[in-house]
Amino acid sequence: MSWIIGVDVGGTFTDFCAFERDTGAAHVHKTPSTPDDPARGVIEGLQAMAATTVDLGRVQRVAHGTTVATNALIQKRGGTTALVTTGGFRDLLEIGRQTRPHMYDLQRDHPPALVPRERRFECSERITAGGRVVRRPTSAALAALVEAVEGSGAESCAVCFLFSFVDPTHERDVRDALHAALPDLFVSISSDVYPAMREYERFSTTVINAYLQPVMTGYLASLEEAVARHAPGAILGINQSSGGLMSAARARDLPVRTALSGPAAGVVGACEVARGVEAQHAITLDMGGTSADVALIADYRTEITFERWIEGYPVRVPAVDVNAVGAGGGSIAWLDRDGLMKVGPASAGAEPGPACYGQGSGLATVTDANLVLGRIAGAGLLGGRMALDAGAAREAIAPLARHLGASVERTAHGIISIVVANMVRAVRAISVERGHDPRGFVLLAFGGAGPLHGSEVARALGMTRMVVPVSPGILCAQGLVTADLQESFVRTVAVPIDAGGLARIAHALEELEAQARAWFEAEGVERPARELCKVLDMRYVGQNYELPVALDGDEITVPALEQHFFAVHEMHYGFHNPHDPVELVNVRLTAVGRLPKPLARVASRMAASPPRPRGRREIYFSPDAALDAPVFSRQALLAGQTLAGPAVVDQLDTTTLLLPGDVLTVDARGNLIVEVAR
């Protein structure tokens, strides 16, 4: 029982990374995703690996990153959902907050509520902000709610009361009544999903959770059955948006925590790579088939945010701070009403995919442009297993070229320039706009298309160093292999930071630690593998929003908390006022169960001779002229070897493009270290 398998289901490909824990032996695999049934692609990939080197009977753990929740939200294909709420708050989901989703677009509205008004029901109950029970739901009221929910035809129900984060008793009463009468109904209560203040965000998160439960439960049931059949000894772990794993049973209860599962796994893997190459400060560029995800790594760690918007809905779950932009290999090039060419955010996906896939789409995409420019091999993807049609790519780009009055090659180069500009803006949003100078960071390029465009992105930002991991197109799956078990707990404790508030804070931490201990026991995490991370949400009195402040050590004093908050406020806003009073809003605790990691493989010897190209091809680095560039095989490159651009490095899961002037060196771990020319 020594194999660990990471499986990441993306918009275009499903990626696999298998590690033999004791020896460090690794096996990677890619297969086209199956959007109609993502579990089918997972099982097909496992079977393909079983036919080569991986003994599925010796698999200890399968860690899975999934897009099922995200796709259900994007496509509005969740379950039929009802909502039970406090009397007078039936329309809270539509009222929301006064802020517009796009400040300068007066025509754009918030997306419609996931629960229409006819399936929203009020309950006669009330608890005050201080926890005093004013009105309990009666037996007759509970019976009426059960009848109303049953009559609505809902598959799932969200129960959200105004002050349930103070006292969850009334929500639990409704949940128990619904379960007793309607055992097949999925029920999510806000005191379980997100027991913290701010009712709009809490209601939205709980409704999304209920909306996703029928979809995720069906998917996981199918996946668990298939994994148990092919790898009977394996434990299935589901990746969360925070980058940690949870059990499949927990994922069925809290599917909202998987909404950013895939991108989080990539950042976890990138942090491991950053440690290996001693890139203390790095920016990730994860470019796949549908989008490009970027994140900032400082001191080998990435930020966790507790405030995200997904498809226009606020979601309050811990998540890796990733900025996504619709810039992937499948991003479609199109003409706007102003006659200018745009790229993305719409994507051709896996089916029908780019025009060069030969599935009749006729859509000009970034992949088609790269093929026309010679940047990816005409022999096809996945080591030639997936053939590409260069003629179809040219035909798809030709109408755009005629409209622009340019050659097909110049138009293709324009498509690449636009998608690079889109990714540069995404990187600037997480770096320059937050006070970080990207020139002091290393660019970690991965994903199926990250290394193909990384050098151009780095040049545009003034970055001088790029790192391409050993298996960049599989890094999200590799991150899943190194992920740990994780569970998050939160408690609202609105108190001033003074002597009187410290006792409340200490008491809340004790309660959360007791919950964490119970979770450790339930998950079978031994004491040496347990870790607790404490965060306090703090703000100046009178502020609307708080900042997360990591709590170091066990000592809690007023001066220490204030100094920690001042430092965080200074970092975010460039100033702090030591004389203004500070208050606490939420206490957060993250429990981490450390899992065994596979061994890192290091080259036993350095190469004594320069690398030899396996061929050459014409590549367009500029709009009008192609250069004859050498083509190298990644598998043939050895530690210590160096090569200079223009050149291209092909491998199973990606292509690394070296622009003229770039210099590449292979390090002892097999990573490609690229010194980017200015």
Side-chain angles (χ1 to χ4, degrees):
M1 307 300 295
S2 57
W3 283 95
I4 304 171
I5 299 179
V7 184
D8 177 57
V9 178
T12 305
F13 291 103
T14 297
D15 302 332
F16 299 81
C17 180
F19 271 104
E20 213 285 327
R21 192 183 67 197
D22 300 324
T23 66
H27 181 74
V28 298
H29 181 71
K30 288 178 80 77
T31 187
S33 294
T34 51
D36 60 312
D37 180 12
R40 178 162 52 85
V42 174
I43 298 308
E44 289 175 356
L46 290 176
Q47 291 174 327
M49 288 194 298
T52 53
T53 59
V54 179
D55 181 359
L56 296 184
R58 295 176 56 229
V59 174
Q60 181 186 48
R61 183 169 77 248
V62 174
H64 177 38
T66 173
T67 57
V68 169
T70 310
N71 292 339
L73 274 177
I74 293 173
Q75 300 167 7
K76 300 296 185 291
R77 293 183 178 177
T80 302
T81 307
L83 170 66
V84 174
T85 187
T86 303
F89 289 84
R90 181 182 182 186
D91 298 317
L92 187 141
L93 286 179
E94 289 174 321
I95 295 171
R97 299 209 178 275
Q98 64 180 358
T99 54
R100 293 195 300 273
H102 296 270
M103 185 177 295
Y104 299 107
D105 189 343
L106 302 180
Q107 307 303 317
R108 186 178 300 195
D109 295 323
H110 285 280
L114 294 174
V115 183
R117 198 169 194 272
E118 62 269 18
R119 290 204 300 271
R120 301 199 293 260
F121 309 105
E122 296 183 348
C123 177
S124 180
E125 72 82 36
R126 196 58 181 261
I127 295 174
T128 67
R132 183 173 63 88
V133 177
V134 177
R135 186 180 302 112
R136 297 183 184 276
T138 63
S139 299
L142 293 176
L145 284 173
V146 168
E147 183 179 356
V149 171
E150 183 179 19
S152 71
E155 300 172 82
S156 62
C157 181
V159 183
C160 308
F161 291 157
L162 189 59
F163 288 108
S164 61
F165 63 91
V166 178
D167 183 349
T169 304
H170 293 178
E171 282 192 350
R172 292 172 180 174
D173 289 343
V174 173
R175 177 197 61 193
D176 294 344
L178 289 170
H179 276 160
L182 307 170
D184 295 330
L185 182 74
F186 297 98
V187 181
S188 294
I189 63 176
S190 71
S191 51
D192 284 347
V193 177
Y194 184 68
M197 62 178 287
R198 291 203 172 92
E199 63 274 7
Y200 172 51
E201 290 79 8
R202 177 162 49 89
F203 282 31
S204 174
T205 303
T206 307
V207 165
I208 290 174
N209 194 74
Y211 184 75
L212 295 174
Q213 274 187 298
V215 177
M216 184 61 79
T217 298
Y219 169 68
L220 289 178
S222 172
L223 184 63
E224 281 185 291
E225 187 274 331
V227 169
R229 186 171 66 251
H230 292 88
I235 298 172
L236 179 63
I238 308 300
N239 199 49
Q240 304 179 64
S241 302
S242 61
L245 300 176
M246 61 180 171
S247 65
R250 191 67 170 159
R252 284 193 291 270
D253 291 336
L254 295 171
V256 68
R257 291 192 182 178
T258 69
L260 298 170
S261 174
V267 178
V268 171
C271 289
E272 292 295 322
V273 173
R275 290 187 184 94
V277 299
E278 297 183 353
Q280 185 176 3
H281 303 294
I283 291 173
T284 69
L285 175 63
D286 176 10
M287 185 180 181
T290 304
S291 66
D293 304 317
V294 298
L296 189 140
I297 297 173
D299 296 323
Y300 303 121
R301 302 183 68 176
T302 188
E303 289 287 330
I304 297 294
T305 180
F306 299 95
E307 300 180 3
R308 294 300 301 258
W309 288 73
I310 301 177
E311 292 301 306
Y313 302 102
V315 176
R316 293 297 181 263
V317 293
V320 171
D321 194 3
V322 174
N323 184 24
V325 61
S331 294
I332 299 169
W334 54 285
L335 295 172
D336 206 344
R337 287 181 293 181
D338 56 11
L340 300 178
M341 184 169 65
K342 309 291 173 65
V343 179
S347 173
E351 296 177 359
C356 62
Y357 281 15
Q359 297 180 163
S361 72
L363 301 171
T365 67
V366 172
T367 298
D368 296 307
N370 279 311
L371 183 59
V372 166
L373 296 176
R375 298 186 176 197
I376 56 178
L381 304 176
L382 307 182
R385 289 191 291 112
M386 187 174 180
L388 298 179
D389 187 341
R394 294 186 68 88
E395 289 178 10
I397 296 175
L400 297 172
R402 287 194 295 269
H403 175 86
L404 298 172
S407 66
V408 170
E409 289 78 12
R410 175 173 278 272
T411 304
H413 193 275
I415 292 172
I416 300 302
S417 298
I418 293 170
V419 80
V420 167
N422 292 342
M423 290 187 285
V424 168
R425 282 197 297 270
V427 172
R428 289 179 63 86
I430 64 162
S431 57
V432 177
E433 295 178 14
R434 299 183 184 180
H436 301 283
D437 187 346
R439 292 174 295 184
F441 287 72
V442 173
L443 185 69
L444 274 174
F446 57 99
L452 189 59
H453 303 87
S455 184
E456 289 176 303
V457 171
R459 285 191 181 195
L461 291 161
M463 303 172 74
T464 60
R465 191 178 179 214
M466 176 176 75
V467 174
V468 180
V470 176
S471 300
I474 313 290
L475 192 64
C476 288
Q478 188 173 331
L480 291 165
V481 170
T482 62
D484 294 309
L485 292 173
Q486 192 177 107
E487 181 65 24
S488 298
F489 306 91
V490 62
R491 177 70 54 85
T492 291
V493 184
V495 295
I497 301 299
D498 57 21
L502 295 184
R504 294 272 305 275
I505 297 173
H507 179 68
L509 283 170
E510 289 176 1
E511 290 184 334
L512 294 182
E513 288 173 3
Q515 294 180 33
R517 285 193 296 272
W519 177 79
F520 282 134
E521 295 295 334
E523 295 293 335
V525 179
E526 300 294 334
R527 290 187 180 276
R530 299 179 182 182
E531 182 177 323
L532 296 178
C533 304
K534 305 169 187 177
V535 173
L536 305 181
D537 290 344
M538 299 169 64
R539 65 186 182 186
Y540 284 115
V541 174
Q543 282 186 316
N544 282 333
Y545 296 98
E546 52 276 357
L547 293 172
V549 178
L551 188 61
D552 297 324
D554 296 324
E555 184 178 0
I556 302 176
T557 65
V558 172
L561 294 183
E562 287 181 338
Q563 290 305 314
H564 283 317
F565 173 72
F566 294 153
V568 173
H569 201 278
E570 182 80 30
M571 182 182 67
H572 280 79
Y573 300 115
F575 78 97
H576 73 279
N577 187 339
H579 305 295
D580 280 354
V582 180
E583 65 181 357
L584 175 75
V585 177
N586 297 314
V587 177
R588 301 182 185 275
L589 187 144
T590 300
V592 178
R594 298 296 179 191
L595 294 174
K597 303 293 190 294
L599 296 173
R601 303 187 76 178
V602 180
S604 57
R605 63 184 179 87
M606 304 294 283
S609 60
R612 293 183 178 181
R614 62 175 176 82
R616 307 186 72 87
R617 67 174 180 251
E618 296 288 310
I619 300 176
Y620 283 83
F621 294 93
S622 63
D624 301 311
L627 296 177
D628 182 47
V631 178
F632 296 86
S633 172
R634 178 73 182 264
Q635 289 73 22
L637 296 180
L638 301 176
Q641 289 183 326
T642 299
L643 57 95
V648 64
V649 179
D650 285 339
Q651 64 186 96
L652 170 73
D653 52 340
T654 193
T655 298
T656 301
L657 186 70
L658 298 182
L659 302 183
D662 292 347
V663 178
L664 179 153
T665 302
V666 185
D667 75 357
R669 295 177 183 268
N671 300 299
L672 306 183
I673 312 299
V674 181
E675 300 300 325
V676 179
R678 290 187 178 273

